[in-house]
Amino acid sequence: MNKMSIICSSILLSTTLAMASLPAQANLPLQLNGQQMPSLAPMLEKVTPAVVLISVKGTHAQQQKIPDAFKFFFGNPRQNQSRERPFRGLGSGVIIDAEKGYIVTNNHVIKEADEIQITLKDGRQIEAKKIGADESSDIALLEVDPNNLTEIKVADSDKLRVGDFTVAIGSPFGLGQTVTSGIVSALGRSGLNNDNYEDFIQTDAAINSGNSGGALVNLRGELIGINTAIIGPNGGNVGIGFAIPSNMVKNIISQILEFGEVRRGVLGVSGYSVNGEIAKAMELDASQGGFVERVAPNSAAEEAGIEAGDVITQVNGKRVKGFSELRGKIGSIGAGKDVELTVIKANGKTKTYTVTLKKAENANIEPASIHEMLDGAKLSNQTNALGVIIESVEEDSPAEVIGLRKGDIIAGVNKVTIKNIAELRDYLAEIKGISLLKIIRGNTILYVRIR
């Protein structure tokens, strides 16, 4: 036996004797030289039951291109230019309120879904309904029967630092719950979709297809983000994944629950990110921030005193690197909320403004989640009055069948006055059987029966 073989045999014998001397307890943590070996297992045992698999079914319209020469043979061209195609999809979600059965996920996971099924870690399968969603931030809120659920604590994502450890939990490729780990690679990432509101956490924890909507947690098992995007060939992991910060998620969800829609705050400025060339041209001390190119008339920014040529460097005391990050942070703060902006003026002086954000005109509620007979109606809250206005009604939809029309205002249910979409949803959820919607149509009041 050579010298190397003797050394290897000695190491193997020492390891075997050491393992044999350990107490025979299956749940005892492994130890090395008397020290407990570090493990994420205790934290994950508490957290993973709050992460669920989401399975969806639905149909979406697929456009059919018909040559002009053949349209005569196919009848009405409008009826032949689209076809309903069934689809199935998988994703992940996170239980944020066990008592109420609230689950947050990505909007793109459940978009256009007719059926949403939740699979818990213990194998239970339950149906979910969509409460509301915001396409621009890619956040959706679901609700399930709150029976023996586990929720996850939500952390303050503004306290994250580059280098903090992260753990991603989800169900990639439908394989079942999977856990990967990494660090925060960068903060305030944007530019993946310029039409969206982005302020991503970048992580090198492996995120793959199916992880969308899953949890990104810290080492305390607290939610710091919702996994949402992957950069890699064919959607595969290459060490660059993105998550929506938990603070943005909280802002969006709280608005959906309070108002039944996302009342996105608007600052009223346009511009671009500060770089070296802009800093040199404008003789700026700042190398980062959002350069204000234009201030909209009568906007929140104009009323506060912000001017073209200003550079916004901080939002509520948190530094912003560029205009996209500024847009993402402002866009998740609700209308009517005050925000503190730190600005470098054209004269080089720094000034702080308190700005009351105005409301962006949009509606983000899913009518069918309020009541199945409202499906097909686009709803929004009135700006300066009580009630819910019907902006449009789809042809042959349940809403049209019961007699609703564009411009109708839902002012009450039975004898109860309704202030907004959230009250309409909450009140209808409590009623069993037939209800009467009080409708204001022009100068006429009428009642529409739903059941």
Side-chain angles (χ1 to χ4, degrees), residues 284-285 310-311 342-353:
L284 298 174
D285 292 334
D310 288 349
V311 177
T342 301
V343 173
I344 298 178
K345 304 295 291 183
N347 60 11
K349 294 184 178 180
T350 299
K351 188 173 182 179
T352 300
Y353 294 90

Side-chain angles (χ1 to χ4, degrees), residues 372-391:
E372 60 184 6
M373 300 308 295
L374 295 178
D375 190 20
K378 184 178 180 182
L379 310 177
S380 67
N381 293 323
Q382 296 203 87
T383 305
N384 299 312
L386 301 181
V388 176
I389 188 168
I390 299 177
E391 295 188 351

Side-chain angles (χ1 to χ4, degrees), residues 65-295:
K65 295 184 178 180
I66 302 174
D68 292 340
F70 291 95
K71 288 182 179 179
F72 173 80
F73 300 99
F74 290 93
N76 186 346
R78 292 179 59 189
Q79 296 177 353
N80 292 280
Q81 289 178 347
S82 65
R83 178 182 297 176
E84 294 293 325
R85 294 280 188 180
F87 72 88
R88 294 172 180 263
L90 294 172
S92 304
V94 183
I95 301 172
I96 57 170
D97 191 323
E99 291 185 0
K100 296 182 178 179
Y102 291 152
I103 297 175
V104 66
T105 185
N106 286 147
N107 176 63
H108 75 260
V109 170
I110 51 81
K111 186 178 180 181
E112 298 183 335
D114 298 322
E115 298 178 30
I116 305 174
Q117 186 178 71
I118 303 299
T119 302
L120 301 172
K121 187 182 179 184
D122 60 14
R124 285 181 292 158
Q125 293 185 328
I126 48 181
E127 295 296 319
K129 72 174 183 178
K130 178 179 173 181
I131 294 179
D134 180 49
E135 187 169 3
S136 295
S137 62
D138 199 22
I139 291 294
L141 182 65
L142 309 178
E143 185 178 20
V144 297
D145 181 24
N147 180 21
N148 193 24
L149 301 178
T150 299
E151 68 182 49
I152 192 168
K153 183 180 179 181
V154 182
D156 181 359
S157 57
D158 284 343
K159 295 182 179 179
L160 285 176
R161 299 174 300 171
V162 173
D164 286 349
F165 286 104
T166 61
V167 179
I169 311 170
S171 300
F173 307 113
L175 294 173
Q177 194 172 89
T178 302
V179 176
T180 56
S181 65
I183 63 169
V184 174
S185 304
L187 295 167
R189 290 297 199 207
S190 59
L192 274 71
N193 186 335
N194 290 329
D195 292 332
N196 285 354
Y197 291 87
E198 301 175 341
D199 182 24
F200 291 127
I201 302 166
Q202 182 182 326
T203 180
D204 64 345
I207 296 175
N208 286 288
S209 179
N211 271 108
S212 290
L216 189 70
V217 304
N218 57 26
L219 294 188
R220 291 186 294 273
E222 299 167 333
L223 185 72
I224 58 175
I226 296 294
N227 302 326
T228 188
I230 312 155
I231 287 186
N234 302 316
N237 170 63
V238 291
I240 301 178
F242 297 93
I244 302 168
S246 58
N247 285 358
M248 178 181 284
V249 175
K250 285 191 291 185
N251 287 340
I252 297 297
I253 295 304
S254 65
Q255 291 176 57
I256 290 175
L257 291 174
E258 183 177 357
F259 306 115
E261 63 176 348
V262 176
R263 293 183 172 181
R264 177 162 281 110
V266 175
L267 183 58
V269 298
S270 60
Y272 33 81
S273 298
V274 172
N275 56 28
E277 293 179 351
I278 294 174
K280 182 178 179 180
M282 297 299 294
E283 299 180 357
L284 298 174
D285 292 334
S287 58
Q288 293 181 332
F291 181 81
V292 178
E293 178 186 37
R294 187 177 71 88
V295 178

